PDB file of all heavy atoms in Angstrom:
ATOM      1  N   PRO A 587     -15.128   8.464   3.260  1.00  0.00           N
ATOM      2  CA  PRO A 587     -15.769   7.447   2.408  1.00  0.00           C
ATOM      3  C   PRO A 587     -14.705   6.507   1.818  1.00  0.00           C
ATOM      4  O   PRO A 587     -13.557   6.916   1.609  1.00  0.00           O
ATOM      5  CB  PRO A 587     -16.461   8.256   1.313  1.00  0.00           C
ATOM      6  CG  PRO A 587     -15.845   9.599   1.347  1.00  0.00           C
ATOM      7  CD  PRO A 587     -15.278   9.810   2.719  1.00  0.00           C
ATOM      8  N   SER A 588     -15.081   5.269   1.567  1.00  0.00           N
ATOM      9  CA  SER A 588     -14.113   4.234   1.180  1.00  0.00           C
ATOM     10  C   SER A 588     -13.397   4.505  -0.139  1.00  0.00           C
ATOM     11  O   SER A 588     -12.362   3.909  -0.405  1.00  0.00           O
ATOM     12  CB  SER A 588     -14.796   2.875   1.128  1.00  0.00           C
ATOM     13  OG  SER A 588     -15.806   2.890   0.140  1.00  0.00           O
ATOM     14  N   ASN A 589     -13.921   5.405  -0.954  1.00  0.00           N
ATOM     15  CA  ASN A 589     -13.274   5.714  -2.228  1.00  0.00           C
ATOM     16  C   ASN A 589     -12.474   7.021  -2.187  1.00  0.00           C
ATOM     17  O   ASN A 589     -12.061   7.522  -3.223  1.00  0.00           O
ATOM     18  CB  ASN A 589     -14.320   5.768  -3.346  1.00  0.00           C
ATOM     19  CG  ASN A 589     -15.357   6.852  -3.110  1.00  0.00           C
ATOM     20  OD1 ASN A 589     -15.484   7.390  -2.007  1.00  0.00           O
ATOM     21  ND2 ASN A 589     -16.111   7.173  -4.139  1.00  0.00           N
ATOM     22  N   HIS A 590     -12.262   7.552  -1.004  1.00  0.00           N
ATOM     23  CA  HIS A 590     -11.527   8.816  -0.872  1.00  0.00           C
ATOM     24  C   HIS A 590     -10.064   8.618  -1.292  1.00  0.00           C
ATOM     25  O   HIS A 590      -9.448   7.612  -0.949  1.00  0.00           O
ATOM     26  CB  HIS A 590     -11.597   9.302   0.584  1.00  0.00           C
ATOM     27  CG  HIS A 590     -11.163  10.715   0.753  1.00  0.00           C
ATOM     28  ND1 HIS A 590      -9.836  11.082   0.778  1.00  0.00           N
ATOM     29  CD2 HIS A 590     -11.874  11.859   0.893  1.00  0.00           C
ATOM     30  CE1 HIS A 590      -9.751  12.384   0.935  1.00  0.00           C
ATOM     31  NE2 HIS A 590     -10.975  12.877   1.010  1.00  0.00           N
ATOM     32  N   PRO A 591      -9.498   9.588  -2.001  1.00  0.00           N
ATOM     33  CA  PRO A 591      -8.110   9.457  -2.460  1.00  0.00           C
ATOM     34  C   PRO A 591      -7.076   9.267  -1.345  1.00  0.00           C
ATOM     35  O   PRO A 591      -6.011   8.704  -1.593  1.00  0.00           O
ATOM     36  CB  PRO A 591      -7.840  10.771  -3.208  1.00  0.00           C
ATOM     37  CG  PRO A 591      -9.166  11.338  -3.512  1.00  0.00           C
ATOM     38  CD  PRO A 591     -10.140  10.795  -2.516  1.00  0.00           C
ATOM     39  N   ASP A 592      -7.384   9.703  -0.134  1.00  0.00           N
ATOM     40  CA  ASP A 592      -6.436   9.495   0.968  1.00  0.00           C
ATOM     41  C   ASP A 592      -6.211   8.019   1.252  1.00  0.00           C
ATOM     42  O   ASP A 592      -5.151   7.641   1.768  1.00  0.00           O
ATOM     43  CB  ASP A 592      -6.903  10.207   2.237  1.00  0.00           C
ATOM     44  CG  ASP A 592      -6.673  11.708   2.182  1.00  0.00           C
ATOM     45  OD1 ASP A 592      -6.126  12.200   1.170  1.00  0.00           O
ATOM     46  OD2 ASP A 592      -7.059  12.397   3.150  1.00  0.00           O
ATOM     47  N   PHE A 593      -7.191   7.176   0.921  1.00  0.00           N
ATOM     48  CA  PHE A 593      -6.984   5.730   1.082  1.00  0.00           C
ATOM     49  C   PHE A 593      -5.891   5.251   0.137  1.00  0.00           C
ATOM     50  O   PHE A 593      -5.090   4.383   0.495  1.00  0.00           O
ATOM     51  CB  PHE A 593      -8.280   4.945   0.840  1.00  0.00           C
ATOM     52  CG  PHE A 593      -9.189   4.935   2.021  1.00  0.00           C
ATOM     53  CD1 PHE A 593     -10.278   5.783   2.067  1.00  0.00           C
ATOM     54  CD2 PHE A 593      -8.961   4.101   3.093  1.00  0.00           C
ATOM     55  CE1 PHE A 593     -11.123   5.797   3.156  1.00  0.00           C
ATOM     56  CE2 PHE A 593      -9.795   4.099   4.197  1.00  0.00           C
ATOM     57  CZ  PHE A 593     -10.883   4.954   4.234  1.00  0.00           C
ATOM     58  N   ALA A 594      -5.858   5.800  -1.064  1.00  0.00           N
ATOM     59  CA  ALA A 594      -4.807   5.434  -2.007  1.00  0.00           C
ATOM     60  C   ALA A 594      -3.439   5.775  -1.424  1.00  0.00           C
ATOM     61  O   ALA A 594      -2.491   4.998  -1.545  1.00  0.00           O
ATOM     62  CB  ALA A 594      -5.028   6.125  -3.344  1.00  0.00           C
ATOM     63  N   THR A 595      -3.353   6.922  -0.765  1.00  0.00           N
ATOM     64  CA  THR A 595      -2.096   7.310  -0.124  1.00  0.00           C
ATOM     65  C   THR A 595      -1.707   6.303   0.942  1.00  0.00           C
ATOM     66  O   THR A 595      -0.556   5.849   0.994  1.00  0.00           O
ATOM     67  CB  THR A 595      -2.223   8.722   0.491  1.00  0.00           C
ATOM     68  OG1 THR A 595      -2.540   9.644  -0.553  1.00  0.00           O
ATOM     69  CG2 THR A 595      -0.956   9.144   1.199  1.00  0.00           C
ATOM     70  N   SER A 596      -2.657   5.930   1.795  1.00  0.00           N
ATOM     71  CA  SER A 596      -2.367   4.953   2.848  1.00  0.00           C
ATOM     72  C   SER A 596      -1.916   3.621   2.263  1.00  0.00           C
ATOM     73  O   SER A 596      -0.894   3.061   2.668  1.00  0.00           O
ATOM     74  CB  SER A 596      -3.600   4.725   3.731  1.00  0.00           C
ATOM     75  OG  SER A 596      -3.788   5.792   4.610  1.00  0.00           O
ATOM     76  N   TYR A 597      -2.690   3.115   1.319  1.00  0.00           N
ATOM     77  CA  TYR A 597      -2.351   1.816   0.727  1.00  0.00           C
ATOM     78  C   TYR A 597      -1.005   1.873   0.009  1.00  0.00           C
ATOM     79  O   TYR A 597      -0.202   0.934   0.098  1.00  0.00           O
ATOM     80  CB  TYR A 597      -3.443   1.364  -0.237  1.00  0.00           C
ATOM     81  CG  TYR A 597      -4.764   1.059   0.417  1.00  0.00           C
ATOM     82  CD1 TYR A 597      -5.951   1.388  -0.214  1.00  0.00           C
ATOM     83  CD2 TYR A 597      -4.837   0.444   1.662  1.00  0.00           C
ATOM     84  CE1 TYR A 597      -7.182   1.109   0.375  1.00  0.00           C
ATOM     85  CE2 TYR A 597      -6.057   0.170   2.261  1.00  0.00           C
ATOM     86  CZ  TYR A 597      -7.225   0.501   1.613  1.00  0.00           C
ATOM     87  OH  TYR A 597      -8.438   0.223   2.195  1.00  0.00           O
ATOM     88  N   ASN A 598      -0.749   2.956  -0.678  1.00  0.00           N
ATOM     89  CA  ASN A 598       0.514   3.098  -1.389  1.00  0.00           C
ATOM     90  C   ASN A 598       1.692   3.116  -0.414  1.00  0.00           C
ATOM     91  O   ASN A 598       2.709   2.456  -0.641  1.00  0.00           O
ATOM     92  CB  ASN A 598       0.492   4.376  -2.227  1.00  0.00           C
ATOM     93  CG  ASN A 598       1.653   4.460  -3.159  1.00  0.00           C
ATOM     94  OD1 ASN A 598       1.862   3.570  -3.980  1.00  0.00           O
ATOM     95  ND2 ASN A 598       2.428   5.511  -3.043  1.00  0.00           N
ATOM     96  N   ASN A 599       1.541   3.855   0.676  1.00  0.00           N
ATOM     97  CA  ASN A 599       2.632   3.933   1.645  1.00  0.00           C
ATOM     98  C   ASN A 599       2.885   2.589   2.326  1.00  0.00           C
ATOM     99  O   ASN A 599       4.037   2.212   2.541  1.00  0.00           O
ATOM    100  CB  ASN A 599       2.346   5.021   2.677  1.00  0.00           C
ATOM    101  CG  ASN A 599       2.464   6.404   2.086  1.00  0.00           C
ATOM    102  OD1 ASN A 599       3.054   6.598   1.034  1.00  0.00           O
ATOM    103  ND2 ASN A 599       1.889   7.380   2.758  1.00  0.00           N
ATOM    104  N   ILE A 600       1.827   1.879   2.652  1.00  0.00           N
ATOM    105  CA  ILE A 600       1.993   0.544   3.237  1.00  0.00           C
ATOM    106  C   ILE A 600       2.663  -0.369   2.211  1.00  0.00           C
ATOM    107  O   ILE A 600       3.551  -1.164   2.547  1.00  0.00           O
ATOM    108  CB  ILE A 600       0.640  -0.007   3.724  1.00  0.00           C
ATOM    109  CG1 ILE A 600       0.141   0.814   4.927  1.00  0.00           C
ATOM    110  CG2 ILE A 600       0.755  -1.490   4.086  1.00  0.00           C
ATOM    111  CD1 ILE A 600      -1.296   0.545   5.330  1.00  0.00           C
ATOM    112  N   GLY A 601       2.256  -0.233   0.949  1.00  0.00           N
ATOM    113  CA  GLY A 601       2.907  -1.003  -0.116  1.00  0.00           C
ATOM    114  C   GLY A 601       4.392  -0.711  -0.201  1.00  0.00           C
ATOM    115  O   GLY A 601       5.201  -1.631  -0.390  1.00  0.00           O
ATOM    116  N   HIS A 602       4.775   0.557  -0.056  1.00  0.00           N
ATOM    117  CA  HIS A 602       6.198   0.923  -0.082  1.00  0.00           C
ATOM    118  C   HIS A 602       6.971   0.204   1.022  1.00  0.00           C
ATOM    119  O   HIS A 602       8.091  -0.251   0.801  1.00  0.00           O
ATOM    120  CB  HIS A 602       6.389   2.430   0.090  1.00  0.00           C
ATOM    121  CG  HIS A 602       6.139   3.243  -1.132  1.00  0.00           C
ATOM    122  ND1 HIS A 602       6.483   2.856  -2.401  1.00  0.00           N
ATOM    123  CD2 HIS A 602       5.584   4.474  -1.270  1.00  0.00           C
ATOM    124  CE1 HIS A 602       6.149   3.793  -3.265  1.00  0.00           C
ATOM    125  NE2 HIS A 602       5.587   4.792  -2.605  1.00  0.00           N
ATOM    126  N   VAL A 603       6.379   0.126   2.206  1.00  0.00           N
ATOM    127  CA  VAL A 603       7.061  -0.545   3.316  1.00  0.00           C
ATOM    128  C   VAL A 603       7.282  -2.021   2.980  1.00  0.00           C
ATOM    129  O   VAL A 603       8.395  -2.534   3.129  1.00  0.00           O
ATOM    130  CB  VAL A 603       6.277  -0.396   4.643  1.00  0.00           C
ATOM    131  CG1 VAL A 603       6.901  -1.268   5.732  1.00  0.00           C
ATOM    132  CG2 VAL A 603       6.247   1.051   5.082  1.00  0.00           C
ATOM    133  N   TYR A 604       6.222  -2.687   2.514  1.00  0.00           N
ATOM    134  CA  TYR A 604       6.387  -4.098   2.171  1.00  0.00           C
ATOM    135  C   TYR A 604       7.372  -4.281   1.022  1.00  0.00           C
ATOM    136  O   TYR A 604       8.153  -5.238   1.020  1.00  0.00           O
ATOM    137  CB  TYR A 604       5.033  -4.732   1.855  1.00  0.00           C
ATOM    138  CG  TYR A 604       4.221  -5.004   3.099  1.00  0.00           C
ATOM    139  CD1 TYR A 604       3.005  -4.379   3.319  1.00  0.00           C
ATOM    140  CD2 TYR A 604       4.688  -5.887   4.073  1.00  0.00           C
ATOM    141  CE1 TYR A 604       2.267  -4.625   4.465  1.00  0.00           C
ATOM    142  CE2 TYR A 604       3.960  -6.136   5.229  1.00  0.00           C
ATOM    143  CZ  TYR A 604       2.756  -5.501   5.421  1.00  0.00           C
ATOM    144  OH  TYR A 604       2.039  -5.751   6.563  1.00  0.00           O
ATOM    145  N   HIS A 605       7.373  -3.351   0.073  1.00  0.00           N
ATOM    146  CA  HIS A 605       8.339  -3.388  -1.020  1.00  0.00           C
ATOM    147  C   HIS A 605       9.754  -3.285  -0.452  1.00  0.00           C
ATOM    148  O   HIS A 605      10.637  -4.078  -0.802  1.00  0.00           O
ATOM    149  CB  HIS A 605       8.054  -2.242  -1.981  1.00  0.00           C
ATOM    150  CG  HIS A 605       8.870  -2.260  -3.230  1.00  0.00           C
ATOM    151  ND1 HIS A 605       8.691  -1.352  -4.222  1.00  0.00           N
ATOM    152  CD2 HIS A 605       9.883  -3.048  -3.664  1.00  0.00           C
ATOM    153  CE1 HIS A 605       9.536  -1.583  -5.210  1.00  0.00           C
ATOM    154  NE2 HIS A 605      10.276  -2.612  -4.878  1.00  0.00           N
ATOM    155  N   ASN A 606       9.978  -2.319   0.440  1.00  0.00           N
ATOM    156  CA  ASN A 606      11.297  -2.149   1.060  1.00  0.00           C
ATOM    157  C   ASN A 606      11.718  -3.373   1.865  1.00  0.00           C
ATOM    158  O   ASN A 606      12.909  -3.672   1.955  1.00  0.00           O
ATOM    159  CB  ASN A 606      11.320  -0.918   1.966  1.00  0.00           C
ATOM    160  CG  ASN A 606      11.194   0.399   1.227  1.00  0.00           C
ATOM    161  OD1 ASN A 606      10.581   1.342   1.729  1.00  0.00           O
ATOM    162  ND2 ASN A 606      11.731   0.493   0.030  1.00  0.00           N
ATOM    163  N   MET A 607      10.740  -4.060   2.438  1.00  0.00           N
ATOM    164  CA  MET A 607      11.024  -5.253   3.231  1.00  0.00           C
ATOM    165  C   MET A 607      11.221  -6.494   2.356  1.00  0.00           C
ATOM    166  O   MET A 607      11.602  -7.544   2.868  1.00  0.00           O
ATOM    167  CB  MET A 607       9.876  -5.499   4.223  1.00  0.00           C
ATOM    168  CG  MET A 607       9.773  -4.442   5.301  1.00  0.00           C
ATOM    169  SD  MET A 607       8.250  -4.570   6.277  1.00  0.00           S
ATOM    170  CE  MET A 607       8.423  -6.168   7.031  1.00  0.00           C
ATOM    171  N   GLY A 608      10.924  -6.377   1.061  1.00  0.00           N
ATOM    172  CA  GLY A 608      11.063  -7.519   0.162  1.00  0.00           C
ATOM    173  C   GLY A 608       9.867  -8.444   0.149  1.00  0.00           C
ATOM    174  O   GLY A 608       9.933  -9.528  -0.427  1.00  0.00           O
ATOM    175  N   ASP A 609       8.777  -8.037   0.778  1.00  0.00           N
ATOM    176  CA  ASP A 609       7.546  -8.836   0.766  1.00  0.00           C
ATOM    177  C   ASP A 609       6.702  -8.366  -0.420  1.00  0.00           C
ATOM    178  O   ASP A 609       5.783  -7.558  -0.282  1.00  0.00           O
ATOM    179  CB  ASP A 609       6.784  -8.673   2.082  1.00  0.00           C
ATOM    180  CG  ASP A 609       5.612  -9.636   2.223  1.00  0.00           C
ATOM    181  OD1 ASP A 609       5.136 -10.163   1.196  1.00  0.00           O
ATOM    182  OD2 ASP A 609       5.161  -9.844   3.367  1.00  0.00           O
ATOM    183  N   TYR A 610       7.046  -8.886  -1.592  1.00  0.00           N
ATOM    184  CA  TYR A 610       6.474  -8.369  -2.833  1.00  0.00           C
ATOM    185  C   TYR A 610       4.994  -8.691  -2.995  1.00  0.00           C
ATOM    186  O   TYR A 610       4.249  -7.885  -3.555  1.00  0.00           O
ATOM    187  CB  TYR A 610       7.282  -8.860  -4.028  1.00  0.00           C
ATOM    188  CG  TYR A 610       8.727  -8.441  -3.957  1.00  0.00           C
ATOM    189  CD1 TYR A 610       9.749  -9.358  -4.141  1.00  0.00           C
ATOM    190  CD2 TYR A 610       9.074  -7.118  -3.687  1.00  0.00           C
ATOM    191  CE1 TYR A 610      11.083  -8.966  -4.072  1.00  0.00           C
ATOM    192  CE2 TYR A 610      10.400  -6.722  -3.603  1.00  0.00           C
ATOM    193  CZ  TYR A 610      11.403  -7.652  -3.804  1.00  0.00           C
ATOM    194  OH  TYR A 610      12.704  -7.263  -3.728  1.00  0.00           O
ATOM    195  N   SER A 611       4.552  -9.833  -2.499  1.00  0.00           N
ATOM    196  CA  SER A 611       3.126 -10.155  -2.644  1.00  0.00           C
ATOM    197  C   SER A 611       2.276  -9.199  -1.811  1.00  0.00           C
ATOM    198  O   SER A 611       1.221  -8.740  -2.262  1.00  0.00           O
ATOM    199  CB  SER A 611       2.838 -11.612  -2.284  1.00  0.00           C
ATOM    200  OG  SER A 611       3.180 -11.868  -0.943  1.00  0.00           O
ATOM    201  N   LYS A 612       2.726  -8.845  -0.608  1.00  0.00           N
ATOM    202  CA  LYS A 612       1.995  -7.871   0.211  1.00  0.00           C
ATOM    203  C   LYS A 612       2.072  -6.483  -0.411  1.00  0.00           C
ATOM    204  O   LYS A 612       1.093  -5.741  -0.435  1.00  0.00           O
ATOM    205  CB  LYS A 612       2.562  -7.808   1.631  1.00  0.00           C
ATOM    206  CG  LYS A 612       2.084  -8.909   2.547  1.00  0.00           C
ATOM    207  CD  LYS A 612       0.630  -8.776   2.823  1.00  0.00           C
ATOM    208  CE  LYS A 612       0.354  -8.572   4.269  1.00  0.00           C
ATOM    209  NZ  LYS A 612      -1.078  -8.707   4.573  1.00  0.00           N
ATOM    210  N   ALA A 613       3.234  -6.130  -0.923  1.00  0.00           N
ATOM    211  CA  ALA A 613       3.382  -4.824  -1.580  1.00  0.00           C
ATOM    212  C   ALA A 613       2.425  -4.730  -2.762  1.00  0.00           C
ATOM    213  O   ALA A 613       1.728  -3.720  -2.927  1.00  0.00           O
ATOM    214  CB  ALA A 613       4.819  -4.630  -2.048  1.00  0.00           C
ATOM    215  N   LEU A 614       2.359  -5.791  -3.553  1.00  0.00           N
ATOM    216  CA  LEU A 614       1.472  -5.796  -4.714  1.00  0.00           C
ATOM    217  C   LEU A 614       0.021  -5.639  -4.296  1.00  0.00           C
ATOM    218  O   LEU A 614      -0.733  -4.870  -4.906  1.00  0.00           O
ATOM    219  CB  LEU A 614       1.662  -7.091  -5.508  1.00  0.00           C
ATOM    220  CG  LEU A 614       0.892  -7.218  -6.800  1.00  0.00           C
ATOM    221  CD1 LEU A 614       1.275  -6.117  -7.772  1.00  0.00           C
ATOM    222  CD2 LEU A 614       1.139  -8.593  -7.420  1.00  0.00           C
ATOM    223  N   GLU A 615      -0.369  -6.323  -3.245  1.00  0.00           N
ATOM    224  CA  GLU A 615      -1.735  -6.227  -2.733  1.00  0.00           C
ATOM    225  C   GLU A 615      -2.103  -4.770  -2.419  1.00  0.00           C
ATOM    226  O   GLU A 615      -3.159  -4.275  -2.827  1.00  0.00           O
ATOM    227  CB  GLU A 615      -1.864  -7.087  -1.471  1.00  0.00           C
ATOM    228  CG  GLU A 615      -3.167  -6.981  -0.737  1.00  0.00           C
ATOM    229  CD  GLU A 615      -3.135  -7.692   0.615  1.00  0.00           C
ATOM    230  OE1 GLU A 615      -2.308  -8.610   0.816  1.00  0.00           O
ATOM    231  OE2 GLU A 615      -3.947  -7.309   1.479  1.00  0.00           O
ATOM    232  N   PHE A 616      -1.222  -4.078  -1.728  1.00  0.00           N
ATOM    233  CA  PHE A 616      -1.513  -2.703  -1.334  1.00  0.00           C
ATOM    234  C   PHE A 616      -1.378  -1.727  -2.500  1.00  0.00           C
ATOM    235  O   PHE A 616      -2.165  -0.795  -2.620  1.00  0.00           O
ATOM    236  CB  PHE A 616      -0.653  -2.285  -0.140  1.00  0.00           C
ATOM    237  CG  PHE A 616      -1.159  -2.860   1.149  1.00  0.00           C
ATOM    238  CD1 PHE A 616      -0.628  -4.035   1.661  1.00  0.00           C
ATOM    239  CD2 PHE A 616      -2.204  -2.253   1.828  1.00  0.00           C
ATOM    240  CE1 PHE A 616      -1.116  -4.584   2.841  1.00  0.00           C
ATOM    241  CE2 PHE A 616      -2.698  -2.795   3.011  1.00  0.00           C
ATOM    242  CZ  PHE A 616      -2.150  -3.961   3.514  1.00  0.00           C
ATOM    243  N   TYR A 617      -0.397  -1.940  -3.362  1.00  0.00           N
ATOM    244  CA  TYR A 617      -0.270  -1.084  -4.547  1.00  0.00           C
ATOM    245  C   TYR A 617      -1.500  -1.204  -5.439  1.00  0.00           C
ATOM    246  O   TYR A 617      -1.967  -0.207  -5.999  1.00  0.00           O
ATOM    247  CB  TYR A 617       0.968  -1.452  -5.355  1.00  0.00           C
ATOM    248  CG  TYR A 617       2.287  -0.953  -4.815  1.00  0.00           C
ATOM    249  CD1 TYR A 617       3.475  -1.568  -5.206  1.00  0.00           C
ATOM    250  CD2 TYR A 617       2.383   0.132  -3.945  1.00  0.00           C
ATOM    251  CE1 TYR A 617       4.699  -1.120  -4.750  1.00  0.00           C
ATOM    252  CE2 TYR A 617       3.602   0.576  -3.478  1.00  0.00           C
ATOM    253  CZ  TYR A 617       4.766  -0.055  -3.887  1.00  0.00           C
ATOM    254  OH  TYR A 617       5.979   0.396  -3.431  1.00  0.00           O
TER     255      TYR A 617
END
């Protein structure tokens, strides 16, 4: 289901990648 906590894990991890890449607007979106 779309509100499952595992989605938070996915979005957070994708945010970490964009953060590491310096793409802060994308990181913020996912965080």
Side-chain angles (χ1 to χ4, degrees):
S588 62
N589 61 345
H590 194 281
D592 284 359
F593 279 101
T595 300
S596 284
Y597 294 142
N598 190 57
N599 289 342
I600 292 169
H602 281 322
V603 172
Y604 284 117
H605 187 176
N606 293 145
M607 293 170 63
D609 189 340
Y610 301 130
S611 61
K612 279 293 241 191
L614 184 60
E615 174 189 337
F616 283 96
Y617 282 159

